[in-house]
Amino acid sequence: MQAWVIGNWKQNPATSHDVNALLDDLLTAIEATEQANSEVTARCQLMVAPSFIHLTAVSARLKGTSVLCAAQDISAHSASVGAYTGDCSAQQIADAGATWTILGHSERRQYHQESYDSLLQKVTHALMQDLGVVFCIGETQAQYDDQQTLEVIDSQLSVIKSLLAQQQELIDSLSTRLIIAYEPVWAIGTGKVPTVAEVSATHQHIKQSVAGVAESLSAITVLYGGSVNADNADIFAADAMIDGALVGGASLKAESFLAIATAFSKGSI
Ligand code: PEP
């Protein structure tokens, strides 16, 4: 199965100049990696998600390369153009050249109070514009301590389940257009990680739960996210339930991003 390694650049880098420098490094590192081992990018799909402001430039530079470009969010009010200050619609995102979007990242849930309703709108609009969706779920530290991980995940996955119940015609396209990223909130940017056994069990639960709604989704891609770096990627990549990684901090350096991709390309054999 093909692995996926996705870089969530968040509100980085600070300037267009720095974005170009990161892309220069990334494309040079990919070329060097492909020359040394052409299997890496064949076995591991790479994607990066820059800020809205950099989306057009980044997607233009990535055209014709093996790296896909995603947005970090879309507007819940994507049905039409109009008076939604500060928002970017799914259509605008697709027009800017992105082919995927991250949705439901814990920082959006925390700082922008993203609700079940707004996420249902966002996922629906993304798919209507043919954007693939990387749907993020995960528990907080308190929920982890209270052993509520699976309950929290089931509740967050209800967005996807409702969508499928309402729009059966989406099921076929979802098998290639939906990725679930399991990201424990307490592991994001903290250097703390769950054990591989914990991640593996949670991923198994996610896969079974999604397959319970539609058998065609039984092979859904489930990524782990939270403090993945060049040093620990191997142990996650070795587990059959972990199909790749959503990477924050370590995606801002081409070298560590490519090291993670290399680990998952070996894990996918
Ligand atoms: C993220 O924010 O999606 C993430 C996984 O961040 P980090 O890799 O920095 O923990």
Side-chain angles (χ1 to χ4, degrees):
M1 188 169 168
Q2 186 192 42
W4 291 72
V5 170
I6 303 176
N8 174 13
W9 290 357
K10 310 193 184 189
Q11 197 168 271
N12 297 293
T15 65
S16 309
H17 176 270
D18 293 348
V19 168
N20 271 322
L22 175 56
L23 278 174
D24 287 343
D25 287 353
L26 187 60
L27 295 173
T28 306
I30 288 173
E31 207 181 304
T33 304
E34 279 172 344
Q35 272 169 14
N37 180 0
S38 61
E39 296 292 282
V40 174
T41 48
R43 293 211 172 105
C44 181
Q45 177 64 60
L46 291 173
M47 190 190 298
V48 294
S51 303
F52 285 150
I53 190 75
H54 298 134
L55 209 49
T56 306
V58 172
S59 63
R61 280 204 64 188
L62 292 179
K63 214 171 184 163
T65 73
S66 55
V67 188
L68 298 173
C69 185
Q72 296 173 15
D73 186 37
I74 61 164
S75 172
H77 306 282
S78 284
S80 63
V81 290
Y84 301 107
T85 303
D87 273 357
C88 262
S89 71
Q91 185 179 19
Q92 289 171 326
I93 294 297
D95 184 59
T99 48
W100 285 77
T101 183
I102 296 172
L103 290 178
H105 190 278
S106 63
E107 287 151 16
R108 303 278 329 161
R109 292 178 192 261
Q110 183 184 354
Y111 303 132
H112 301 272
Q113 289 75 44
E114 288 199 338
S115 62
Y116 168 93
D117 287 334
S118 73
L119 282 169
L120 187 57
Q121 290 295 317
K122 289 180 184 204
V123 178
T124 308
H125 288 303
L127 294 171
M128 280 164 58
Q129 284 297 328
D130 244 349
L131 292 169
V133 171
V134 181
F135 191 73
C136 302
I137 56 177
E139 80 286 0
T140 62
Q141 179 77 64
Q143 291 163 335
Y144 173 78
D145 293 342
D146 284 349
Q147 300 183 339
Q148 290 175 339
T149 300
L150 299 187
E151 265 170 79
V152 171
I153 276 167
D154 284 342
S155 147
Q156 293 169 335
L157 279 177
S158 65
V159 169
I160 303 299
K161 292 181 185 169
S162 305
L163 179 81
L164 291 174
Q166 286 165 21
Q167 307 202 28
Q168 298 270 323
E169 69 281 4
L170 286 177
I171 290 179
D172 284 346
S173 69
L174 273 193
S175 58
T176 53
R177 304 302 276 157
L178 176 68
I179 289 175
I180 305 290
Y182 167 56
E183 301 203 295
V185 180
W186 53 273
I188 295 180
T190 59
K192 293 196 281 183
V193 289
T195 65
V196 174
E198 286 175 312
V199 176
S200 186
T202 305
H203 281 207
Q204 186 167 20
H205 178 83
I206 294 168
K207 286 174 193 253
Q208 281 168 351
S209 173
V210 174
V213 192
E215 184 51 37
S216 62
L217 297 178
S218 58
I220 188 141
T221 297
V222 182
L223 311 182
Y224 168 69
S227 296
V228 177
N229 58 41
D231 296 328
N232 64 17
D234 289 21
I235 56 162
F236 291 112
D239 191 279
M241 284 288 151
I242 306 175
D243 304 320
L246 180 54
V247 185
S251 71
L252 297 172
K253 290 264 181 285
E255 199 186 333
S256 45
F257 191 54
L258 262 291
I260 295 167
T262 303
F264 276 97
S265 72
K266 289 181 191 149
S268 75
I269 295 172

